[in-house]
Amino acid sequence: HVQLVESGGNSVQAGGSLRLSCAASGSTASISCWAWFRQAPGMQREGVAALDSDGTTSVADSLRGRVTISLSNTKDVLNLRMFFLEPGDTAIYYCAADWRCGSLNANEYNYWGQGTQVTVS
């Protein structure tokens, strides 16, 4: 089993930046694929960025150029750097992981964190 804990969420002004982190513990050796999703109030969960086992990254079209996803050298901390934040980025951000790669398809991930709140005003 794998546990994921997000951190770094905060309230920021439009145009600002944030770095979110997701610490993984447990059977992390089984994890090959990672992703960030977000869910705004009243909206469906949507993919933000994903990192596949071969290093391929995927970023949602609406966020391209404003986010980067990376994995620590120890392969147990997933980071998301966000730039030029907009009010529309306000959401709870979730970290997800699995042994199989699902890119930005939430249904492909079995392990999820509890989320961290990002508010942009």
Side-chain angles (χ1 to χ4, degrees):
H1 191 67
V2 174
Q3 296 81 40
L4 303 174
V5 179
E6 302 94 335
S7 62
N10 211 334
S11 295
V12 297
Q13 291 189 337
S17 60
L18 274 178
R19 185 183 74 173
L20 305 182
S21 295
C22 171
S25 60
S27 304
T28 57
S30 65
I31 299 301
S32 297
C33 306
W34 307 80
W36 286 96
F37 291 83
R38 68 182 183 182
Q39 188 166 18
M43 305 292 286
Q44 289 188 334
R45 189 169 297 190
E46 65 173 348
V48 174
L51 177 63
D52 288 351
S53 56
D54 63 357
T56 301
T57 60
S58 303
V59 178
D61 289 342
S62 62
L63 292 160
R64 202 174 304 277
R66 297 199 296 120
V67 303
T68 60
I69 185 172
S70 62
L71 187 65
S72 67
N73 291 335
T74 51
K75 301 188 185 303
D76 58 359
V77 180
L78 181 71
N79 295 300
L80 181 73
R81 292 183 181 270
M82 301 188 294
F83 309 93
F84 308 113
L85 286 162
E86 304 168 353
D89 295 321
T90 295
I92 299 174
Y93 284 71
Y94 298 91
C95 171
D98 208 302
W99 63 270
R100 58 182 179 179
C101 295
S103 189
L104 297 179
N105 183 354
N107 294 328
E108 297 296 318
Y109 295 89
N110 282 309
Y111 300 113
W112 292 84
Q114 293 299 307
T116 186
Q117 177 72 48
V118 172
T119 302
V120 185
S121 60

